[in-house]
């Protein structure tokens, strides 16, 4: 029987249309390719597993020592948990089962561990006991550590997915999304997530048509089912009929044609119809995005989210490795500015190696996130500063601090920057003179309200409208349940942005905006009207925003922004802005 066509609605967070087979990712599972092995390799493969187990036990014991030395009550709990992990690596079902599968199924150790975890998880699920179901995550944690030790390199998830697959999952973390290879994966759709979360940002950066927040999507979808993801409208269609597929193929062709038309704007300046030049820069997460940055004609990098280079690995990149990564970005930009943001770790973007005994719950959105974690771990910040300073010798680098809320944080960070520079000089390493400009993100409401004071201590501002919206309106930016309430046109938020822009203009320091609204042509007139003439966005949106700027009259935009700022109702503001946009 032909399967029935099913439709799901979600949020189209990365444009484009993808059609391909589903690759359903089980939550928490790590994808590893399965390999058949000859009989003679069974014993060596079992030995490889034993070596990985011994290494995992050593790693966990080391973690226990560090935890005992560092923390209090939470640390004690962690020590017990790690004890449980050690037990799971003894003569447990996981270990015995994996060994048996290697022998009976003649498969590689990675696939055997994966299959055993899946089997244990299934048994646990069927027990309907909340304590036991919570243990599934622990087993997965131990299993994933084994897999990492076995492969010796960071595991590339989804590598088993056939070319052009659409990844389907309950939830994809930003770190998972960073591992989707656009040459292999066609698109993605998930039940969780929202448009301003870092998963959405990463999907846009990779140019993967993506729908998030599609409720019920995973209920009965199977790997191999044909899927259409419409990232423009937020539709996901499972098992489409031939007629539906043909209609979406036409749309896909049209979308590609439109993208090519916009590509022609690459070398044309972003100037308003009355002659005001606007700077359009790119937001970048990983060096692999640099082709897109060049293709989009970005005039610089307004935000390099350095934390993505620290994800999907067990260790912290060394100073030399960080220099190499930064240089690979700076080298492409030549003389064009590159704004490197120091680590914004925490909340949606955990970096295990930096937690170092800190309870993960302490790095929530309101916890030790961004600059707070960096100031709590000055050694890691110093290393990062040294790497940035060394890389800055080969380009026009600026340094940006995330999650700033007080002047004292800027002062402390500047002190550490100077100390890092002095250390390099003592080592005989050249350091840019003067030091690169040190700017701050305006993304915490308190920072926006104190923007005049911060402007006295900062060399530039970058408004992070994503977090500024989240913290001002108390709406989790990655949560599908409140995604519809996330409204950047809320008058409270606009006032904070206008106040910050005025503070920067009065202090004569540059101001840019790098939140998602910077890349949405709907908001361009309003942002220019605030006096913000530097916009940084996901590279693929640069042509769209440029097109909008070229048809805009700056004087009219200024006037409309002033009218909007007299309003108190978000609905009326939206109407005034959309009417203005429709006039163009
Ligand atoms: C922001 O918060 O708007 C921002 C640009 O930073 P991120 O999205 O990385 O939190
Ligand atoms: Mg932010």
């Amino acid at each position: 029987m032909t399967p029935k066509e099913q439709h799901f609605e979600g949020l189209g967070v990365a444009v484009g249309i993808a059609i391909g087979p589903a690759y359903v990712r089980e939550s928490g599972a790590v994808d590893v390719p399965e390999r058949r092995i000859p009989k003679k390799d069974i014993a060596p493969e079992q030995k490889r597993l034993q070596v990985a187990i011994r290494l995992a036990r050593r790693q966990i014991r080391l973690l226990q020592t560090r935890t005992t030395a560092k923390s209090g009550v939470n640390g004690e709990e962690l020590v017990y948990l790690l004890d449980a992990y050690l037990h799971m690596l003894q003569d447990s079902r996981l270990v015995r089962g994996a060994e048996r599968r290697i022998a009976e199924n003649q498969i590689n150790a990675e696939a055997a561990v994966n299959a055993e975890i899946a089997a244990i998880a299934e048994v646990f699920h069927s027990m309907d006991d909340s304590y036991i179901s919570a243990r599934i995550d622990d087993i997965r944690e131990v299993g994933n550590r084994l897999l990492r030790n076995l492969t010796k390199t960071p595991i590339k998830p989804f590598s088993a997915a056939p070319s052009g697959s659409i990844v389907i999952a309950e939830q994809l973390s930003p770190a998972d999304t960073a591992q989707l290879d656009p040459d292999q994966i066609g698109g993605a759709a998930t039940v969780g997530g929202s448009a301003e979360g870092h998963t959405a940002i990463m999907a846009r950066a990779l140019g993967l048509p993506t729908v998030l927040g599609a409720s019920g999507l995973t209920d009965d979808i199977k790997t191999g089912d044909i899927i259409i993801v419409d990232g423009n409208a937020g539709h996901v269609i499972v098992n489409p009929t031939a007629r539906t597929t043909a209609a979406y193929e036409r749309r896909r062709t049209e979308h590609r044609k439109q993208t090519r038309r916009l590509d022609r704007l690459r070398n044309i300046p972003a100037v308003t119809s009355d002659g005001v030049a606007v700077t359009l820069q790119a937001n970048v997460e990983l060096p692999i995005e640099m082709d897109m940055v060049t293709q989009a004609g970005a005039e610089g990098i307004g935000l390099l989210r350095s934390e993505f280079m620290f994800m999907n690995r067990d260790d912290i990149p060394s100073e030399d490795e960080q220099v190499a990564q930064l240089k690979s970005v700076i080298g492409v930009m030549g003389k064009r500015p590159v704004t490197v943001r120091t680590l914004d770790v925490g909340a949606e973007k955990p970096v295990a190696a930096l937690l170092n005994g800190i309870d993960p719950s302490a790095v929530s959105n309101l916890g030790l996130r961004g600059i707070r974690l960096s100031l709590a771990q000055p050694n890691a910040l110093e290393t990062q500063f040294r790497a940035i300073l060394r890389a800055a010798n080969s380009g026009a680098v600026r340094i940006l601090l995330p999650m700033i809320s007080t002047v004292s944080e800027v002062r402390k960070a500047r002190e550490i920057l100077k100390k890092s520079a002095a250390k390099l000089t003592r080592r005989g390493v050249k350091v840019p003179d003067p030091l690169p400009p040190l700017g701050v993100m305006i993304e915490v409401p308190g920072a926006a309200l104190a923007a005049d004071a911060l402007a006295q201590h900062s060399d530039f501002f970058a408004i992070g409208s994503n977090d500024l919206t989240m913290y001002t309106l108390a709406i989790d930016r990655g949560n599908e349940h409140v995604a519809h309430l996330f409204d950047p046109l809320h008058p409270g938020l606009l006032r904070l942005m206008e106040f910050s822009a005025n503070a920067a203009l009065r202090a004569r320091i540059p101001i840019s905006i790098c939140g998602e609204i910077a890349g949405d042509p709907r908001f361009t007139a309003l942002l220019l009207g605030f006096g913000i003439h530097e916009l940084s966005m996901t590279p693929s949106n640069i042509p769209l925003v440029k097109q909008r700027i070229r048809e805009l009259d700056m004087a009219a935009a200024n006037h409309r922004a002033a009218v909007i700022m007299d309003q108190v109702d978000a609905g009326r503001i939206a109407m005034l802005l959309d009417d203005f946009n429709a006039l163009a």
Side-chain angles (χ1 to χ4, degrees), residues 9-41:
E9 298 302 318
L11 299 162
V13 302
V15 294
I17 287 162
I19 306 175
Y23 184 76
V24 182
R25 179 246 170 95
E26 253 206 60
S27 65
V30 176
D31 307 84
V32 286
E34 180 173 314
R35 192 164 39 83
R36 292 277 302 165
I37 55 167
K39 257 206 171 89
K40 68 170 180 40
D41 285 353

Side-chain angles (χ1 to χ4, degrees), residues 198 305 341 349 369 441 443 464-467 477 514-515:
H198 289 93
R305 291 182 164 101
R341 185 172 70 182
K349 298 178 288 189
R369 184 187 158 186
M441 295 281 299
E443 53 184 350
S465 52
N466 307 333
D467 281 317
R477 59 191 271 195
C514 53

Side-chain angles (χ1 to χ4, degrees), residues 405-425:
S405 47
T406 64
V407 164
S408 74
E409 288 166 336
V410 189
R411 279 212 196 102
K412 282 183 197 151
R414 201 182 283 281
E415 276 313 303
I416 298 175
L417 177 64
K418 285 187 190 153
K419 198 169 140 199
S420 313
K423 206 169 198 166
L424 283 176
T425 311

Side-chain angles (χ1 to χ4, degrees), residues 265-550:
L265 291 173
R266 183 192 318 170
N267 297 317
I268 296 176
V271 181
T272 60
S273 63
D274 50 346
V276 180
V278 179
T279 307
L280 298 185
Q281 300 191 324
N283 291 351
V284 169
E285 291 69 33
L286 296 167
I288 56 157
E289 293 168 46
M290 292 311 291
D291 277 353
M292 283 186 251
V293 172
T294 320
Q295 202 183 328
E299 294 172 76
I301 291 179
L303 171 64
L304 177 61
R305 291 182 164 101
S306 64
E307 57 277 6
F308 277 88
M309 300 187 211
F310 284 60
M311 289 183 196
N312 295 312
R313 51 187 296 161
D314 278 343
D315 56 347
I316 299 172
S318 68
E319 183 183 317
D320 285 352
E321 206 178 325
Q322 292 185 44
V323 174
Q325 283 182 336
L326 293 171
K327 276 190 170 173
S328 70
V329 170
I330 295 166
V332 175
M333 297 314 283
K335 292 198 171 69
R336 288 170 290 176
V338 175
T339 308
V340 184
R341 185 172 70 182
T342 60
L343 291 171
D344 184 17
V345 166
E348 290 190 299
K349 298 178 288 189
V351 168
L354 276 170
L355 295 188
N356 218 350
I358 299 174
D359 187 320
S361 65
V363 296
S364 64
N365 270 323
L366 298 178
L368 272 178
R369 184 187 158 186
I371 192 68
R372 302 172 185 177
L373 185 64
S374 290
L375 290 177
Q377 308 204 342
N379 287 348
L381 182 61
E382 260 192 56
T383 310
Q384 188 175 31
F385 275 152
R386 284 200 304 273
I388 298 173
L389 289 171
R390 281 171 58 190
N393 286 319
S394 49
V397 168
R398 307 195 304 172
I399 303 176
L400 179 59
L401 304 171
M403 287 289 296
I404 287 289
S405 47
T406 64
V407 164
S408 74
E409 288 166 336
V410 189
R411 279 212 196 102
K412 282 183 197 151
R414 201 182 283 281
E415 276 313 303
I416 298 175
L417 177 64
K418 285 187 190 153
K419 198 169 140 199
S420 313
K423 206 169 198 166
L424 283 176
T425 311
R426 276 200 303 280
R427 264 169 38 188
V429 178
K430 190 172 159 245
V431 166
D433 182 17
L435 291 179
L438 183 68
V440 305
M441 295 281 299
I442 300 291
E443 53 184 350
V444 173
L449 287 166
D452 44 355
L454 279 168
Q456 303 307 315
H457 298 266
S458 316
D459 301 322
F460 64 96
F461 279 171
I463 297 183
S465 52
N466 307 333
D467 281 317
L468 194 56
T469 312
M470 167 164 87
Y471 293 122
T472 304
L473 304 183
I475 290 163
D476 182 350
R477 59 191 271 195
N479 183 334
E480 65 278 16
H481 301 289
V482 285
H484 62 290
L485 299 173
F486 196 94
D487 182 7
L489 292 178
H490 187 289
L493 185 71
L494 298 186
R495 286 171 193 179
L496 291 178
M497 288 201 272
E498 192 197 35
F499 183 76
S500 310
N502 286 342
L505 298 174
R506 272 198 306 274
R508 295 181 196 285
I509 59 168
I511 178 157
S512 62
I513 177 157
C514 53
E516 294 308 287
I517 58 173
D520 185 342
R522 182 183 183 211
F523 299 99
T524 310
L526 187 56
L527 301 178
L528 298 191
F530 285 162
I532 305 171
H533 293 180
E534 226 177 280
L535 311 176
S536 190
M537 63 201 76
T538 194
S540 55
N541 284 15
I542 290 180
L544 267 180
V545 173
K546 193 184 278 184
Q547 188 179 42
R548 177 74 189 114
I549 288 169
R550 290 180 63 81

